[in-house]
Amino acid sequence: MALTRSFKDTLKARAERDPAFRAALLTEAVGQFLPVDLETGKAVLRNYINATSGFERLAEETGSLSKSLIRMLSPTGHPTASTLFSVLSTVQKAPLLCAAAPSVSRRPSRSG
């Protein structure tokens, strides 16, 4: 299901004014990849990119084509591990993309 324009605008506005929200959004995206919830992880990462830098700027930073990045994170996309981690590394490190991106560490494993 496509996101409505107003949701994207609302998300972008909140991310622009709230560094803690940006950090939480990125943390949630990465956290979804760890337990192998690729679909949710792609969706949240796509929202994060739309709310911060946009795909055009991310493409410049990663040396990828923006259309390839968009396709990779679409519901039917199949990102390779190297491309996915390149994107994650870029959005974490590049101050132009997200000034308050957190360092992402693995969540403690759950026993039982």
Side-chain angles (χ1 to χ4, degrees), residues 15 18 40 45 74 85 88:
D18 187 349
T40 302
L45 185 57
S74 74
F85 287 114
L88 290 172

Side-chain angles (χ1 to χ4, degrees), residues 44-92:
V44 176
L45 185 57
R46 190 172 55 246
N47 288 340
Y48 177 82
I49 293 166
N50 282 323
T52 57
S53 66
F55 281 95
E56 291 295 327
R57 190 156 183 192
L58 180 61
E60 291 172 14
E61 294 292 324
T62 62
S64 300
L65 297 173
S66 62
K67 287 185 178 190
S68 295
L69 294 172
I70 292 166
R71 191 175 321 117
M72 173 185 88
L73 295 175
S74 74
T76 59
H78 299 287
T80 63
S82 61
T83 306
L84 180 60
F85 287 114
S86 171
V87 167
L88 290 172
S89 176
T90 300
V91 298
Q92 284 185 296

